[in-house]
Amino acid sequence: MLLVSTAAFSQDSRADYLQLFDSNGDGRVSEAEYLAYMSRGFQAMDSNGDGMLETDELPGGRGRPITLKAYRDNLRDQFHKLDRNHDGYLSARELTAPPR
């Protein structure tokens, strides 16, 4: 019985996580939705709002500066790696799968 409960919990957790990204409520995540949700972290760190994370805006004040465009280009690559069936959308399973 514990195995069934764990599986049900895991499935519910995946669906809940997908809902964070799924702004139009269609049960799947488009590239645009993925970029919008994942870009929130960048925007929160970009304290001066210039579209670039300078070293002093990065966690620990370390690392190389990165532009919002470069950040989103990286997110696009991640999205396409997660989209294992290549349908242009992420299911809850794809969204929560470990990266390859």
Side-chain angles (χ1 to χ4, degrees):
M1 186 66 169
L2 178 60
L3 182 60
V4 173
S5 297
T6 302
F9 175 75
S10 175
Q11 202 162 22
D12 288 343
S13 296
R14 284 183 183 153
D16 291 343
Y17 188 59
L18 182 131
Q19 287 179 342
L20 296 173
F21 291 77
D22 185 16
S23 60
N24 66 3
D26 67 355
R28 58 190 187 167
V29 177
S30 69
E31 183 179 306
E33 289 171 318
Y34 185 80
L35 291 174
Y37 184 81
M38 296 298 286
S39 292
R40 289 178 178 177
F42 183 102
Q43 293 160 342
M45 290 186 290
D46 185 14
S47 59
N48 63 4
D50 68 352
M52 175 174 270
L53 294 180
E54 300 291 346
T55 302
D56 64 333
E57 294 173 311
L58 294 170
R62 295 189 180 103
R64 296 175 58 164
I66 186 169
T67 64
L68 180 57
K69 181 190 179 319
Y71 186 81
R72 286 186 174 162
D73 288 346
N74 183 47
L75 290 175
R76 281 185 189 86
D77 290 343
Q78 289 177 28
F79 177 88
H80 292 289
K81 286 177 185 173
L82 289 171
D83 183 17
R84 294 187 177 159
N85 67 357
H86 308 290
D87 68 351
Y89 295 92
L90 299 179
S91 65
R93 184 175 298 276
E94 289 172 319
L95 185 62
T96 58
R100 287 187 188 181

